[in-house]
Amino acid sequence: MQALLDKPLLVVTGKGGVGKSTVAAALGMAAAARGRRTIVAEVAARDDISRALAGAEGAVPTFVERDLGEGLHHISIDPESALEEYVKDQLPRGVSDLLASSRLFAYLVAATPGLRELLTVGKVWELAQPDRRTPGAHPYDLVILDAPATGHGVAVLTAPGTFATAARMGPVARQGGKIHQMLADPEQTAIVAVATAEEMPVNETLTLRAALRDELGQDFAAAVVNGVLPARFRGAEAAALETAAASRSGVGVGGARAVRAARAEVARAKAHRAQVARLRRGLGRGIEVRTLPYLFEHDGLAADELARLGEELVR
């Protein structure tokens, strides 16, 4: 996966709750550690990653490129701010100020299907350009998009092509076409799918792949299975557990509970391995599938743990 860090845009997507933000942050830290000026972009005004890496508390301003240190940056994108920036870039000062402050214009934007997705991914595209339109902004070597969950993620990635096709000509068609061209080009954009080792996330990952192929013309560059349980008991140890469970004597009440817990973990780890194998079969040999271990942290991961996961992914 290390080669993916050389592309200008990396999209991390997958079913909700599988650890997309964890993988996006881990890849961002791995890229920054290799000297690439990197920004991780969250959408819908989320700021989970900056909170994990910078320990931010309270409300974090959206649409601000924050320096998290050592070459890693973060931005939380909201469509309203993206619209305001786009209008100011495209229209004369007086007209842009009038539109930006117009409540009717804001209602029109909110009511236009797909426009919020277009504005969001348009800002991501702008971050990945060598010549930024944002005054005084510096270019990034790598932009990592922590994309919305599966269905909405596809809508975000396909919005530029949809608008370009519908408009046919004019600035919307040109801008939409440029953004779509980058998103659909595997040399410029890599899409990494994230799943957990369970039936539904694996099913959804395979469905997502089909949707991206059909609607964007892009395939996964890689897949990550997050939170995979280790196989703690193998061979003779697993056989000894089965023997102890069958005999039901000589282990006491506490021992019997321990045996049940150990057998349950063996079964869960085996089920995880089976789902990882099913995902590998479903994606085929052309897609690399990496696994990340289950970490027993319930209050979010710290920076050093994310850095360790990043190195695990790109080793």
Side-chain angles (χ1 to χ4, degrees):
M1 286 183 69
Q2 187 168 337
L4 303 184
L5 305 183
D6 294 332
K7 299 180 187 295
L9 178 59
L10 200 162
V11 178
V12 179
T13 185
K15 187 179 185 301
V18 297
K20 295 189 304 298
S21 297
T22 296
V23 172
L27 288 171
M29 296 192 76
R34 284 156 179 76
R36 293 184 63 72
R37 190 170 189 267
T38 302
I39 186 166
V40 180
E42 292 185 273
V43 300
R46 288 175 47 233
D47 61 355
D48 300 336
I49 292 175
S50 70
R51 289 175 186 277
L53 296 180
E57 295 181 355
V60 174
T62 59
F63 222 66
V64 175
E65 296 171 38
R66 300 181 65 214
D67 186 351
L68 302 181
E70 300 181 358
L72 184 62
H73 301 72
H74 173 269
I75 186 172
S76 176
I77 299 174
D78 64 292
E80 290 75 18
S81 298
L83 172 65
E84 186 175 341
E85 181 184 77
Y86 180 77
V87 168
K88 286 181 177 178
D89 180 68
Q90 297 293 316
L91 298 176
R93 178 67 182 271
V95 179
S96 64
D97 290 345
L98 180 64
L99 281 179
S101 61
S102 168
R103 186 172 295 180
L104 179 61
F105 186 64
Y107 288 153
L108 178 64
V109 170
T112 304
L115 188 53
R116 295 173 66 85
E117 288 79 7
L118 176 64
L119 291 166
T120 297
V121 78
K123 178 58 184 177
V124 174
W125 174 84
E126 191 274 333
L127 289 167
Q129 298 309 298
D131 297 317
R132 305 276 311 278
R133 73 176 174 225
T134 304
H138 298 288
Y140 293 100
D141 299 315
L142 172 64
V143 178
I144 298 177
L145 170 61
D146 179 12
T150 310
H152 193 199
V154 173
V156 167
L157 295 176
T158 57
T162 302
F163 273 81
T165 302
R168 293 190 178 182
M169 61 181 66
V172 171
R174 286 196 299 275
Q175 294 275 345
K178 284 182 183 177
I179 300 170
H180 173 76
Q181 194 173 30
M182 181 176 195
L183 294 173
D185 182 359
E187 295 298 320
Q188 298 188 75
T189 300
I191 300 177
V192 174
V194 182
T196 50
E198 299 164 294
E199 184 175 0
M200 285 301 294
V202 169
N203 290 346
E204 201 161 307
T205 301
L206 297 174
T207 302
L208 172 63
R209 185 199 194 189
L212 287 173
R213 283 170 144 184
D214 291 343
E215 300 177 35
L216 185 65
Q218 260 269 46
D219 203 347
F220 294 153
V224 176
V225 185
N226 189 33
V228 178
L229 286 170
R232 296 181 188 276
F233 305 99
R234 290 176 180 269
E237 290 177 331
L241 281 174
E242 294 306 311
T243 301
S247 67
R248 296 183 179 180
S249 63
V251 295
V253 175
R257 288 175 179 167
V259 169
R260 280 199 300 273
R263 291 181 72 213
E265 182 165 322
V266 168
R268 288 183 62 199
K270 184 178 180 181
H272 277 198
R273 292 197 299 277
Q275 292 299 331
V276 172
R278 191 165 74 87
L279 181 62
R280 286 196 165 110
R281 287 196 302 274
L283 296 177
R285 293 184 177 180
I287 308 295
E288 181 182 14
V289 177
R290 304 295 292 268
T291 61
L292 289 178
Y294 185 92
L295 299 179
F296 296 87
E297 298 289 341
H298 300 290
D299 297 324
L301 299 179
D304 57 342
E305 292 162 325
L306 290 169
R308 182 161 63 85
L309 292 180
E311 294 304 315
E312 185 94 6
L313 288 172
V314 302
R315 73 180 189 279

